[in-house]
Amino acid sequence: MAEPTAADHTAYLAIPGRLRAPQPGWTAHADVIVVGSGIAGLTTALQLRQRVDRVLLVTKTVLNEGSTMWAQGGIAAALDPADSPEDHLRDTLVAGVGVCDVEAVRALVTEGPGRVRELVALGAEFDRDADGEIKLTREGGHHRDRIAHAGGDATGREISRALIAALRRVQDDPGIEVIEHALVLDLLLDDTGRACGVTLHVIGEGQRDGVGAARARAVVLATGGLGQVYAATTNPSVATGDGLAAALRAGAEIADVEFVQFHPTVLWLGPGSSGQQPLISEAVRGEGAFLVDKDGARFMEGRHPLADLAPRDVVARAIVERMRETGEDHVYLDARHLGAAFLEERFPSIVARCRELGFDPATELLPVAPAQHYASGGVRTDLHGRTTVEGLYACGEVSCTGVHGANRLASNSLLEGLVFAHRIADDITARLAAGELPPVPAGEAGRPKGPATLLPETARVEVQAAMTRGSGAVRTAESTAATALALAALAERSLDESAAEPGPQAWETTNLLQVGQLLTHLAARREETRGGHVRDDFRDLDDEHWRGNQRATRSRDGSVTTTFHPVAAQDIS
């Protein structure tokens, strides 16, 4: 029999149903399990704590180490009387390049201002002007000043602080429990396929140590992104796609994962630099900084009506093209004219980090290049956060609500987590009251069936290298086929029971492999350039054939079925 070719692996994909792990040695019970402690997870848990008997919040490391902490720019909402939800909706649809879910966007922009004000009432302290009003600035893709920020460029840190403080105030409440250092492995499903909990590995002491089973009437995934699937990303080290991979293995529908946003202005630290890279917030360009090439030419002028504040996909693509033209591996961000005093007040964290690394934005050009930043796709949900697996919800970056389409509008991510966390809490509360999410009978929830998989942690660099080469910022049929073939070889290794010892690093590496396989599979299929998806062999937008969303579902036999769902033309005039 002939060896499978790259084309075979691009056309067909199979994913094992579970991670190889020890049998659970302990059990916990709750009404709802929330996985993740960013803005989505914390808000969901806090809202549910007031309404259900028992909430269990589990987080991978400690409460404040998720992606929310790293959000620099701010949170977008139509808070200015001169702004409106309709204007915010229009900007979001334009950034999403025709494939957003309009009703999801409408929910986001309509409910967003009220949710931000509630966040302020909870204790979040946003920067204010001389009149005491929340300061608003502008970022790429926005036609109005609607970005609220805190600590200059530490918005995520302040929001995280306020939410964790609110959680600490009720930590003695027996109705809510927090387990830190807990890595979710797989979803527990009953005989009907309903989500009834999770298996997780806890690094702790006493009864809850090692692998255990937490059972619940509903599970909310708020596990964040997948950035570590690439060699260079702005995401923290915990962003290994764990929730997305677990949902995929459980049969949940996944959508739009080929739409990966590469932030255009990430500080370039030289060839070979990998891991989490320093982000230079879009808000710096919002305050007047601009991009230049090695000769000092402002290459964004004339390319888009918003020039340096064009949507992220437009700017990232322009940078890639200019680097190709000049033979350089970076361009430059010029913020010198803003002055040291302004930069230090408005962007204290960015300035400090740049200077720590040997760059001074007040006196010199900053070398920048695109790096992975955000996953616009994820576990597909409806307007209430429900996935296609009964009892399973998803919120935040792990989800695909349809809000972002092919390219997330700047600073819509925190808002999405906030708005849809409230929607999920409302829905779960109503369904529990109606008896739609019944208790889990003892012994009902079982682990997924089928072959187990595990890849050694040493293979992580191979996954990242293959993804960066072939499924990165710019892709082709040839590059995605080569990546699919490389990942398939690793997947074959992962089925060997002697290949790796179970443990957090190996589980994360296996999740990255599966996420990378699915992303590459969908990227190979989409033969056009749209938003965050750039195909060098199909450089144009193709509304005739590709204005729509790709969805993928793993069947019980392990095969992944992919479907395409057209989207009607959207009025963005």
Side-chain angles (χ1 to χ4, degrees):
M1 181 177 176
E3 286 293 316
T5 65
D8 294 329
H9 290 299
T10 301
Y12 174 80
L13 178 63
I15 298 289
R18 60 191 176 94
L19 296 176
R20 184 155 54 82
Q23 288 293 323
W26 52 269
T27 304
H29 296 272
D31 290 301
V32 184
I33 297 170
V34 179
V35 187
S37 60
I39 189 172
L42 288 170
T43 302
T44 303
L46 284 166
Q47 289 298 309
L48 285 170
R49 172 253 163 193
Q50 304 173 34
R51 312 180 203 180
V52 304
D53 291 338
R54 185 164 177 76
V55 178
L56 178 62
L57 174 65
V58 300
T59 185
K60 190 172 179 179
T61 53
V62 294
L63 285 175
N64 64 351
E65 286 198 4
S67 293
T68 295
M69 278 289 293
W70 298 95
Q72 294 176 343
I75 186 167
L79 298 170
D80 190 322
D83 196 4
S84 72
E86 283 299 316
D87 287 343
H88 191 181
L89 178 132
R90 188 177 303 109
D91 286 346
T92 301
L93 295 181
V94 170
V97 202
V99 294
C100 294
D101 182 317
V102 176
E103 291 310 307
V105 178
R106 194 174 303 282
L108 178 86
V109 300
T110 302
E111 297 171 22
R115 296 306 183 201
V116 172
R117 293 186 182 100
E118 290 172 0
L119 199 56
V120 173
L122 189 69
E125 298 180 0
F126 290 96
D127 295 340
R128 295 182 179 268
D129 61 23
D131 297 324
E133 298 296 324
I134 294 175
K135 282 185 180 180
L136 300 173
T137 189
R138 192 174 304 194
E139 293 182 357
H142 292 272
H143 285 78
R144 299 276 189 180
D145 291 346
R146 65 169 67 98
I147 315 300
H149 51 84
D153 56 0
T155 310
R157 185 179 298 119
E158 172 56 21
I159 290 174
S160 183
R161 181 207 63 77
L163 289 170
I164 291 172
L167 185 64
R168 300 290 190 206
R169 288 195 291 270
V170 297
Q171 64 184 357
D172 293 332
D173 183 343
I176 189 165
E177 180 184 2
V178 177
I179 302 179
E180 296 183 318
H181 302 291
L183 170 64
V184 166
L185 305 181
D186 279 305
L187 288 163
L188 295 171
L189 306 174
D190 69 10
D191 292 339
T192 69
R194 181 169 68 103
C196 297
V198 295
T199 55
L200 57 153
H201 178 267
V202 176
I203 302 172
E205 298 177 355
Q207 289 183 326
R208 291 187 183 166
D209 186 32
V211 175
R215 300 185 177 188
R217 300 164 75 174
V219 176
V220 182
L221 295 177
T223 52
L226 50 79
Q228 293 296 324
V229 79
Y230 291 101
T233 175
T234 64
N235 289 190
S237 61
V238 295
T240 51
D242 307 317
L244 178 61
L248 171 65
R249 290 191 293 269
E253 195 167 71
I254 313 298
D256 291 349
V257 290
E258 73 271 32
F259 293 133
V260 179
Q261 187 176 85
F262 289 79
H263 198 289
T265 53
V266 177
L267 193 63
W268 186 80
L269 300 179
S273 180
S274 61
Q276 186 178 9
Q277 305 293 293
L279 174 67
I280 309 298
S281 171
E282 198 151 17
V284 179
R285 279 176 286 133
E287 297 290 359
F290 51 83
L291 292 160
V292 297
D293 63 16
K294 67 174 185 175
D295 298 318
R298 293 187 60 176
F299 57 87
M300 287 305 302
E301 291 187 333
R303 187 181 182 98
H304 188 278
L306 292 176
D308 292 271
L309 282 177
R312 287 176 179 173
D313 64 308
V314 176
V315 180
R317 196 175 311 146
I319 292 174
V320 169
E321 291 179 4
R322 185 50 59 102
M323 291 190 303
R324 182 184 295 151
E325 293 166 2
T326 62
E328 299 291 309
D329 41 21
H330 60 279
V331 295
Y332 296 94
L333 184 67
D334 191 350
R336 296 173 296 181
H337 56 288
L338 299 178
F342 176 81
L343 288 169
E344 289 166 3
E345 178 185 1
R346 177 67 177 85
F347 304 107
S349 301
I350 293 174
V351 171
R353 182 60 174 151
C354 286
R355 287 173 176 169
E356 179 184 323
L357 294 167
F359 304 95
D360 189 343
T363 61
E364 58 187 316
L365 298 172
L366 295 178
V368 294
Q372 193 281 338
H373 182 59
Y374 193 85
S376 294
V379 185
R380 192 176 76 84
T381 74
D382 65 10
L383 292 175
H384 305 287
R386 301 183 193 181
T387 74
T388 57
V389 172
E390 180 68 11
L392 179 65
Y393 293 75
C395 191
E397 191 172 356
V398 69
S399 72
C400 181
T401 61
V403 159
H404 306 306
N407 178 54
R408 175 175 67 86
L409 180 65
S411 289
N412 267 358
S413 54
L414 292 176
L415 190 69
E416 181 194 33
L418 187 64
V419 167
F420 282 88
H422 279 268
R423 286 182 154 249
I424 287 171
D426 290 344
D427 191 65
I428 290 177
T429 302
R431 295 183 73 194
L432 286 172
E436 295 180 16
L437 297 170
V440 183
E444 275 289 312
R447 298 177 70 188
K449 308 294 192 297
T453 180
L454 193 64
L455 195 63
E457 61 182 278
T458 53
R460 182 180 299 205
V461 293
E462 297 177 63
V463 174
Q464 293 171 329
M467 287 298 296
T468 302
R469 283 195 305 269
S471 297
V474 179
R475 307 156 184 170
T476 64
E478 183 179 8
S479 75
T480 53
T483 293
L485 189 61
L487 297 183
L490 292 173
E492 188 68 26
R493 281 172 52 189
S494 76
L495 297 175
D496 181 356
E497 291 191 8
S498 64
E501 286 295 319
Q505 293 295 322
W507 291 319
E508 287 181 340
T509 301
T510 309
N511 287 334
L512 289 173
L513 168 66
Q514 294 181 350
V515 168
Q517 286 184 284
L518 181 61
L519 194 162
T520 299
H521 183 67
L522 296 184
R525 287 171 51 90
R526 183 173 285 276
E527 296 180 336
E528 67 160 353
T529 288
R530 182 184 298 270
H533 183 75
V534 180
R535 283 289 294 263
D536 211 24
D537 48 353
F538 294 94
R539 296 190 177 188
D540 296 326
L541 191 73
D542 183 358
D543 273 344
E544 181 180 356
H545 300 101
W546 284 105
R547 189 180 63 220
N549 311 108
Q550 292 194 91
R551 301 175 186 173
T553 307
R554 178 189 178 277
S555 303
R556 290 191 176 185
D557 66 0
S559 62
V560 174
T561 301
T562 305
T563 56
F564 181 75
H565 300 261
V567 172
Q570 297 170 357
D571 181 9
I572 53 176
S573 58

